[in-house]
Amino acid sequence: NDALLAVATKFLQTIPDLQDNVRSSCVDMCQAFHAGSKDLGERFKRELKRIYYSTPTSFLELIQTFKQLLAENRKKISSLKSKYEVGLEKLTTTEQSVEGMKQDLIALQPQLVEKNKE
């Protein structure tokens, strides 16, 4: 169990912008998943008479998959955030343009009234 802790801590240390308490929870999660897979492997053997091995390599693959999924989701969220910010900027620009057009229309109102009288 200490070896799993050390390995998970080492490999998860390379993830940027991950708070220490979150990193610690991720280490615990990886350990729990690995232990759970061993337990399920034993159950698999008992019930189906098939052997499943949960190896150190599978633990490293679990950590690598976690890192990959985290990176993908961070990228998606960053992209969505960027789209939101661009959209918000466009809304602000449009609002300013509409306000300018309103002022122009108010300024032209007397001329429009005069033209309608003719």
Side-chain angles (χ1 to χ4, degrees), residues 71-84:
E72 288 172 8
N73 284 323
R74 281 181 169 180
K75 187 176 178 181
K76 285 180 191 174
I77 289 171
S78 177
S79 174
L80 290 172
K81 181 182 174 194
S82 176
K83 288 177 184 177
Y84 173 79

Side-chain angles (χ1 to χ4, degrees), residues 79-97:
S79 174
L80 290 172
K81 181 182 174 194
S82 176
K83 288 177 184 177
Y84 173 79
E85 289 171 346
V86 167
L88 190 58
E89 184 180 320
K90 286 184 180 185
L91 283 173
T92 303
T93 303
T94 303
E95 181 183 24
Q96 291 169 352
S97 296

